[in-house]
Amino acid sequence: LSAASRISSLIWSPERVVGGTGSCASEVLAGTVGMAVGWGVSWLKAKLPRNVLNALAVWNGIRAYGITYIPAPWKSTDGEILDMILYPRETLASHTGNCSASSVLLASCFENIGIHTILIGTEDHIFPMFDTELEPKNGYMMSMNEKDYVIYDNSVWIPIEATMINEPFVRAWRTAADEYYKILGSKGKLELIDVRKAKQSFPAMNISAPGKMSIPPPSDKILALAVADLKDFEAAQGAQLAKIEETARTSTDPQSKNKAAIAFAKAGNYDGGVQALAGVSTPEAENTLGNIYLLKNELPTAQEHFQKSLSLNNNDGGVYLNFGLARYLSGSKDDAMEAFQVAVTKFDSKEKAFEVLGLAKINEALGTRRGAAQSEQKISKGDLFDLLNQSLQNLPDKQKSTAQATKVREKYKNEQNRFVFGGRRGADPTQIASVKEFLYWKE
């Protein structure tokens, strides 16, 4: 697989599937999948990140073709293992494919709809991995088991076993993740091939000959498979949560209880999270309670817990970030900026702060939203990006940041009226979702 990057020339080639229409394999399939998702699965958008939902739909679009896995026609020449790799249209037309053919087909379809894809090469196998575009700290949105996904290039990636193209998405995903970590643990060969970078060395090949007709499967078939897969996903998440619930009920260890509370909160069970921390008052637990009440849109209570956390440990930059988010949602941008600045100064470098707080992609995010219409009445995620960016431009030095940190911690601490924080007691519910991905959790 030393030259496996050449596969990119197949992935990016403008292969034709339907004669005369100019539609490539991935365009036809992606269009059909798009219709399927639009026909009544809108509720799924709240369950999974966009890239994952689209990848799941593409998986089931290919699955609906009924492609049969066949062993690779390997050849050994002068110590090298050679494989005949098919173009996506050939795999769809023949309804058969080995690991490389299925991987090329999946990568072609993923990339065609903007999902960044990497091919993972081992000693005798290859399978794709796609970018969810989730920050590493938000990997819980995919699974509460960190071995179910891969952290690469400061993002959460999902590997998927291409030979299981007729199997449910979750099963193929978990199988590939297990394989990845087994090889990693045994220090075996893992070659990561970024198809976008490989394209620079191996440009797309042009195919002029008309290919065999390949008729996309019915959208309702794709939809049925996708819905079944999402039920599998929810069931898997529920099983993980049940184990955590048992831990919370039986453990007396504050750290275990806090870990369980975080899992409850991330799964949307806020009351379960609060109950798990009954009688626990550690810096980590108070921060978790602050996050929970922020997500419940009870901002004064959230701020109180963040300040309790800071009174127990005044050097945790993540808690300052959370407090700033609560102040921001309450309507005080000045207080928020003050807290954001302190948050970053609590780390050895701005880069480390970006990494831990999940702000590494802020400039990229800002770049994607320039020119978008803004509302003066509502807080938007874009506004928050702007505010964070402003906060990071002129950070205070260490001496000034100490005084500023004290000001943030003590400003409301001794006030008797729980609603003195000013601004809104609660934010528009849609705005809570805008800040959710920025929250800092500490186990």
Side-chain angles (χ1 to χ4, degrees):
L1 290 172
S2 60
S5 294
R6 294 180 184 274
I7 291 176
S8 67
S9 65
L10 283 76
I11 292 169
W12 295 100
S13 65
E15 77 279 8
R16 306 298 175 186
V17 179
V18 182
T21 66
S23 298
C24 73
S26 45
E27 286 172 342
V28 171
L29 188 56
T32 306
V33 167
M35 288 190 292
V37 172
W39 284 356
V41 205
S42 58
W43 59 273
L44 300 179
K45 294 179 181 178
K47 303 288 183 181
L48 288 172
R50 179 182 176 84
N51 270 14
V52 180
L53 177 60
N54 287 340
L56 182 146
V58 165
W59 173 268
N60 284 295
I62 296 174
R63 187 179 165 197
Y65 267 90
I67 294 173
T68 302
Y69 167 72
I70 58 173
W74 300 98
K75 286 186 178 182
S76 181
T77 305
D78 297 328
E80 293 289 335
I81 297 177
L82 305 178
D83 177 24
M84 176 67 72
I85 303 173
L86 302 178
Y87 286 94
R89 69 169 184 183
E90 294 174 315
T91 303
L92 291 177
S94 66
H95 293 267
T96 60
N98 58 15
C99 62
S100 58
S102 298
S103 294
V104 166
L105 174 58
L106 283 164
S108 178
C109 291
F110 288 163
E111 287 287 354
N112 187 262
I113 54 175
I115 301 176
H116 193 176
T117 309
I118 280 176
L119 297 175
I120 301 175
T122 69
E123 293 289 348
D124 59 357
H125 187 42
I126 193 165
F127 54 98
M129 178 171 74
F130 67 88
D131 186 5
T132 67
E133 296 187 355
L134 288 173
E135 292 279 355
K137 69 175 185 176
N138 293 325
Y140 71 88
M141 294 177 66
M142 285 307 305
S143 174
M144 295 173 195
N145 180 3
E146 294 180 354
K147 293 296 181 69
D148 279 343
Y149 51 83
V150 177
I151 302 300
Y152 176 78
D153 196 23
N154 198 40
S155 192
V156 174
W157 293 69
I158 297 298
I160 191 159
E161 179 49 66
T163 63
M164 298 175 68
I165 197 63
N166 280 322
E167 300 283 341
F169 179 86
V170 172
R171 194 176 302 166
W173 157 30
R174 297 278 169 79
T175 299
D178 287 345
E179 182 173 5
Y180 177 91
Y181 281 106
K182 282 179 182 176
I183 296 173
L184 193 67
S186 64
K187 297 183 180 179
K189 180 179 180 180
L190 277 176
E191 183 177 2
L192 302 185
I193 306 156
D194 187 322
V195 299
R196 294 184 183 180
K197 293 179 180 178
K199 182 182 179 183
Q200 299 172 10
S201 300
F202 303 99
M205 296 177 65
N206 188 29
I207 302 177
S208 57
K212 180 181 177 182
M213 292 282 287
S214 181
I215 307 301
S219 294
D220 57 353
K221 183 177 181 180
I222 300 174
L223 180 61
L225 291 171
V227 170
D229 260 353
L230 276 142
K231 289 180 179 178
D232 286 347
F233 174 81
E234 288 190 313
Q237 292 286 64
Q240 289 181 338
L241 195 60
K243 291 181 180 179
I244 293 168
E245 185 175 7
E246 179 64 21
T247 300
R249 187 167 55 249
T250 59
S251 176
T252 58
D253 175 45
Q255 186 176 10
S256 296
K257 285 182 172 292
N258 182 55
K259 187 174 182 178
I262 291 174
F264 279 124
K266 288 177 176 179
N269 185 353
Y270 303 137
D271 292 338
V274 172
Q275 291 171 10
L277 289 175
V280 181
S281 183
T282 62
E284 296 79 13
E286 294 294 348
N287 178 63
T288 299
L289 287 169
N291 284 346
I292 290 173
Y293 282 107
L294 184 148
L295 292 170
K296 283 167 65 74
N297 208 358
E298 298 179 22
L299 300 180
T301 305
Q303 292 167 124
E304 289 176 3
H305 282 291
F306 290 139
Q307 290 192 306
K308 285 180 182 178
S309 179
L310 291 172
S311 70
L312 296 169
N313 176 10
N314 61 19
N315 287 313
D316 194 329
V319 185
Y320 286 100
L321 174 75
N322 289 342
F323 180 77
L325 292 173
R327 293 301 300 139
Y328 170 75
L329 289 170
S330 295
S332 179
K333 292 189 177 183
D334 289 340
D335 288 350
M337 186 178 295
E338 193 172 57
F340 293 155
Q341 290 179 330
V342 174
V344 176
T345 62
K346 291 298 179 180
F347 295 88
D348 293 335
S349 67
K350 185 188 292 188
E351 290 71 27
K352 186 64 177 177
F354 276 33
E355 177 186 341
V356 174
L357 301 179
L359 304 178
K361 294 185 178 180
I362 185 172
N363 288 328
E364 177 186 336
L366 280 166
T368 62
R369 63 166 290 274
R370 291 301 184 195
Q374 298 295 308
S375 168
E376 295 183 0
Q377 280 70 41
K378 291 195 173 187
I379 302 170
S380 72
K381 184 176 175 181
D383 292 330
L384 181 55
F385 279 136
D386 279 338
L387 186 61
L388 281 165
N389 196 45
Q390 293 171 33
S391 304
L392 301 175
Q393 298 306 310
N394 298 299
L395 295 176
D397 58 32
K398 287 292 183 182
Q399 186 174 0
K400 289 182 180 179
S401 69
T402 300
Q404 189 166 319
T406 302
K407 181 181 177 184
V408 170
R409 294 195 308 273
E410 303 294 331
K411 192 168 185 179
Y412 308 104
K413 189 174 178 182
N414 297 319
E415 297 286 355
Q416 298 300 312
N417 185 345
R418 69 193 274 99
F419 303 123
V420 298
F421 294 96
R424 294 175 289 271
R425 285 187 55 188
D428 185 301
T430 60
Q431 309 315 322
I432 299 296
S434 295
V435 305
K436 183 177 181 180
E437 70 184 77
F438 292 103
L439 287 176
Y440 167 83
W441 303 86
K442 186 170 184 180
E443 297 181 352

